[in-house]
C-alpha cells in the first residue's frame, strides 16, 4: 500500500512581517489588566512543544498540554509525549495523568486547565498552552460563561508547515516510531475485545494494528500474511496521521478566518526542508523561535505595532543552543 502525500488542499496565508530594530526598555508599558496566556497551535509534528519550551527560556513559564491523547498515562511512543530531557526543566501539566481507560472530554480539559492556569498565575508565572487538539482550546477560550475571556488576555502562535513537507515528515516519523518500539508498546495493551472509541485506544497507531495482532492470536495466518498485515498497519498509521494534520489545519483556518481569532502564523516549512542539523536549528531560531519571541514580547509588554523592537534573529539566538534535544524529536 502506498500513501499519497497530498491528502488535503492547503491554503497559503501571507507570511508574518516582523518589524526590525533594537528593543528600548523605556517602551515597556505594563498595564495591570487581565492575566496573560500564550497558546501555541499547529498540526501534529510541527514543533509546538519545541516552541513552547523556547518561549519558556525567556519568561518564568509553565506549560499546559492540550493534546487530547497525551493527557493519558501510557503509550508514550504512540502519542509522541515529550520526554523529561526535552522538557529541559520546564514544568508541564496535564501530561500523562489520566487513566487510559477513561474518557477525558473537552469539558474535563476546560475544568482542569482553568484550575492549572490559576495556579500558575498565582506563582507569578506565564501559562503556555501547547497542543494540537483545537477542540480543547476552542472550548477553553470560548466557554459559554465567558470565564476565560473575562480573566485572561491570550496570544495565539501557530507553527505552520506546508502540507506536502509535513506529510513526508510524519511518514518518516512513523518509521522512527516503529524503530523505537511502537508495535511492542501497543501489543502490551492489546485486547481483542477492546473498544477503540474510548480512552487512549482512540489514538492513531492503536486501532490500525488490530488486524495484525489478531493474526498473531490465530494459527490460520502464516508469517508472510502477518508481515503484510504489519506493513498495512504502518501505512494506515501514516495515512491517518496525515489526515489528522489536515483536519487540524482546517480547524485553525476556521478559528482564524471564521471566528476571527488573531492567530500569528510562523512558517516553519524551510526548517523541515533542511531535515535536521545545525542549519535547521538556525532556521528554527530565525523563522520560528525568534519571531515567536518578538510577538510574545509585544503581547506581554503592550508594544505598539508602529514601534521598533528586537529582531527575530536576536529573539531566537538562545534557541540554537537549546534546540539540539528538541530537534532530535521534531526533525
Amino acid at each position: 500500500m502506498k500513501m499519497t502525500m497530498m491528502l488535503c488542499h492547503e491554503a497559503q496565508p501571507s507570511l508574518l512581517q516582523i518589524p526590525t530594530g533594537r528593543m528600548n526598555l523605556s517602551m515597556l508599558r505594563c498595564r495591570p489588566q487581565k492575566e496573560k496566556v500564550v497558546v501555541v497551535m499547529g498540526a501534529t509534528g510541527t514543533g509546538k512543544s519545541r516552541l513552547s519550551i523556547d518561549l519558556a527560556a525567556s519568561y518564568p513559564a509553565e506549560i499546559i498540554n492540550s493534546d487530547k491523547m497525551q493527557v493519558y498515562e501510557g503509550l508514550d511512543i504512540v502519542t509522541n509525549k515529550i520526554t523529561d530531557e526535552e522538557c529541559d526543566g520546564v514544568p508541564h501539566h496535564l501530561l500523562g495523568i489520566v487513566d487510559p481507560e477513561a474518557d477525558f472530554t473537552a469539558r474535563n480539559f476546560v475544568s482542569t486547565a482553568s484550575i492549572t492556569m490559576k495556579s500558575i498565575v498565582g506563582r507569578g508565572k506565564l501559562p503556555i498552552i501547547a497542543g494540537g487538539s483545537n477542540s480543547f482550546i476552542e472550548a477553553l477560550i470560548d466557554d459559554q460563561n465567558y470565564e476565560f475571556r473575562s480573566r485572561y488576555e491570550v496570544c495565539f502562535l501557530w507553527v505552520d508547515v506546508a502540507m506536502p513537507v509535513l506529510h513526508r515528515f510524519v511518514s518518516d516519523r512513523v518509521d522512527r516510531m516503529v524503530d523505537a518500539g511502537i508495535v511492542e508498546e501497543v501489543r502490551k495493551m492489546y485486547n481483542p475485545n477492546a473498544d477503540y472509541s474510548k480512552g487512549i485506544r482512540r489514538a492513531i497507531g492503536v486501532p490500525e494494528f488490530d488486524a495484525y495482532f489478531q493474526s498473531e492470536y490465530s494459527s490460520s495466518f502464516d508469517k508472510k500474511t502477518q508481515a503484510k498485515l504489519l506493513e498495512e498497519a504502518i501505512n494506515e498509521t501514516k495515512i491517518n496521521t496525515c489526515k489528522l494534520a489536515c483536519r487540524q489545519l482546517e480547524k485553525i483556518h476556521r478559528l482564524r478566518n471564521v471566528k476571527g481569532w488573531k492567530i500569528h502564523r510562523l512558517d516553519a516549512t524551510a526548517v523541515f526542508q533542511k531535515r535536521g542539523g545545525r542549519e535547521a536549528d538556525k532556521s528554527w531560531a530565525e523563522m520560528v523561535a525568534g519571531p515567536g519571541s518578538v510577538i510574545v514580547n509585544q503581547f506581554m509588554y503592550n508594544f505598539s505595532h508602529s514601534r521598533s523592537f528586537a529582531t527575530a534573529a536576536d529573539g531566537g539566538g538562545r534557541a540554537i543552543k537549546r534546540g539540539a534535544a528538541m530537534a532530535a524529536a521534531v526533525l
Side-chain angles (χ1 to χ4, degrees):
M1 179 185 298
K2 293 186 178 180
M3 179 182 66
T4 177
M5 303 305 293
M6 292 299 294
L7 296 177
C8 65
H9 176 71
E10 178 188 19
Q12 294 292 337
S14 59
L15 294 178
L16 180 69
Q17 298 297 317
I18 301 295
T20 60
R22 187 170 296 278
M23 181 182 293
N24 185 340
L25 295 180
S26 66
M27 292 156 51
L28 303 184
R29 293 190 179 91
C30 297
R31 296 178 296 178
Q33 298 181 350
K34 299 177 182 179
E35 300 292 349
K36 308 278 189 173
V37 176
V38 173
V39 174
V40 180
M41 311 171 72
T44 182
T46 53
K48 299 178 293 295
S49 293
R50 183 179 183 181
L51 177 58
S52 64
I53 291 174
D54 285 341
L55 293 173
S58 300
Y59 304 94
E62 298 185 17
I63 296 170
I64 301 173
N65 165 57
S66 60
D67 184 297
K68 65 176 62 175
M69 291 295 109
Q70 291 182 359
V71 299
Y72 290 105
E73 181 182 6
L75 294 185
D76 293 354
I77 299 173
V78 171
T79 59
N80 285 288
K81 285 192 184 76
I82 189 171
T83 66
D84 290 341
E85 180 183 2
E86 292 163 354
C87 287
D88 200 21
V90 179
H92 281 63
H93 304 272
L94 275 66
L95 194 64
I97 63 168
V98 178
D99 187 300
E101 303 293 337
D103 273 336
F104 190 81
T105 66
R107 179 177 294 183
N108 296 141
F109 173 77
V110 171
S111 175
T112 310
S114 297
I115 294 171
T116 305
M117 284 189 298
K118 185 176 181 180
S119 176
I120 293 172
V121 169
R123 291 191 290 274
K125 295 186 177 182
L126 171 68
I128 300 177
I129 302 172
S133 297
N134 298 307
S135 59
F136 277 16
I137 295 173
E138 183 177 12
L140 176 67
I141 304 299
D142 288 344
D143 64 286
Q144 293 181 348
N145 298 323
Y146 296 97
E147 185 173 347
F148 180 93
R149 292 188 181 276
S150 67
R151 293 185 177 184
Y152 301 101
E153 184 179 358
V154 61
C155 173
F156 297 101
L157 299 178
W158 163 27
V159 186
D160 191 25
V161 177
M163 274 297 152
V165 176
L166 185 60
H167 285 172
R168 286 192 294 271
F169 169 76
V170 297
S171 176
D172 292 342
R173 186 177 70 174
V174 171
D175 289 332
R176 293 195 297 272
M177 291 163 66
V178 172
D179 293 339
I182 185 176
V183 179
E184 291 75 14
E185 184 180 68
V186 178
R187 181 185 285 115
K188 289 179 181 178
M189 70 169 298
Y190 174 68
N191 181 344
N193 300 314
D195 183 351
Y196 291 112
S197 67
K198 294 183 178 180
I200 200 171
R201 286 187 172 86
R202 294 175 295 159
I204 294 174
V206 179
E208 289 81 0
F209 284 90
D210 182 78
Y212 170 67
F213 290 135
Q214 285 188 26
S215 73
E216 290 188 331
Y217 279 79
S218 173
S219 59
S220 60
F221 293 89
D222 57 27
K223 295 295 183 181
K224 184 177 180 179
T225 302
Q226 288 184 345
K228 182 179 179 181
L229 289 171
L230 177 59
E231 181 182 1
E232 290 176 351
I234 294 170
N235 284 332
E236 189 177 358
T237 300
K238 293 178 180 180
I239 291 171
N240 288 340
T241 304
C242 290
K243 289 180 178 179
L244 170 64
C246 291
R247 293 195 300 271
Q248 290 170 323
L249 181 64
E250 290 170 357
K251 288 180 181 178
I252 291 173
H253 280 298
R254 178 179 62 81
L255 293 172
R256 194 187 200 204
N257 301 327
V258 177
K259 302 200 74 171
W261 287 17
K262 184 179 179 182
I263 302 176
H264 302 279
R265 177 177 177 261
L266 302 168
D267 189 354
T269 302
V271 181
F272 282 70
Q273 288 174 327
K274 295 182 185 301
R275 294 179 172 269
R278 176 73 179 179
E279 288 301 313
D281 287 344
K282 183 178 179 181
S283 292
W284 175 268
E286 293 176 348
M287 304 183 71
V288 182
S293 295
V294 169
I295 293 167
V296 174
N297 276 332
Q298 177 181 324
F299 168 70
M300 293 294 291
Y301 302 117
N302 302 297
F303 286 125
S304 167
H305 284 285
S306 62
R307 297 282 192 174
S308 61
F309 40 87
T311 64
D314 290 340
R318 288 187 299 272
I320 295 179
K321 297 179 181 179
R322 297 172 53 84
M326 290 300 295
V330 175
L331 296 174

